[in-house]
Amino acid sequence: MFINLTPHAVNVLLNERTITIEPSGTVARCSVSREQADAIESIPVTRTVFGTVEGLPKPQDGVYYMVSSLVAQALPSRTDLFVPDDVVRDEAGRVIGCRALARVSR
């Protein structure tokens, strides 16, 4: 069973079949803070620091979670986290689906 922890439906395009994984209503996110790092020609340059993941349940047998790439990269040891892979775009360049799912590894 997949639980989609992103704010968007994920359409997996398989030949002549589409599997849609609807958002669950809960979004897993990384906390974010910004630090002043420098300035170039009076333009502030900041460093983005990603912290702990929020909104992600503990692993459960037979349950897989669709998450953002940032969340998956923050927890590479979790084998139950997946991200859309091989994205498909429409004529305007908008993502309409993906052809596969991917795990992020160390």
Side-chain angles (χ1 to χ4, degrees):
M1 171 171 86
F2 273 99
I3 297 176
N4 184 349
L5 298 177
T6 76
H8 311 287
V10 175
N11 296 311
V12 184
L13 310 174
L14 304 171
N15 297 321
E16 298 179 24
R17 187 174 129 200
T18 300
I19 298 172
T20 301
I21 305 169
E22 296 291 343
S24 67
T26 299
V27 178
R29 300 188 187 276
C30 286
S31 64
V32 178
S33 64
R34 290 176 178 78
E35 303 171 352
Q36 180 75 29
D38 203 351
I40 300 173
E41 297 181 20
S42 74
I43 300 170
V45 175
T46 59
R47 176 181 303 111
T48 304
V49 178
F50 297 101
T52 59
V53 173
E54 302 163 352
L56 180 65
K58 292 180 180 181
Q60 301 177 50
D61 286 339
V63 178
Y64 304 99
Y65 299 101
M66 182 71 55
V67 296
S68 69
S69 294
L70 193 58
V71 169
Q73 289 173 21
L75 299 166
S77 63
R78 291 270 307 249
T79 59
D80 58 339
L81 305 182
F82 291 85
V83 298
D85 192 34
D86 194 11
V87 297
V88 178
R89 298 179 184 275
D90 66 11
E91 307 79 36
R94 294 179 295 246
V95 174
I96 60 169
C98 62
R99 292 186 187 96
L101 301 179
R103 284 187 177 124
V104 173
S105 60
R106 292 181 198 240

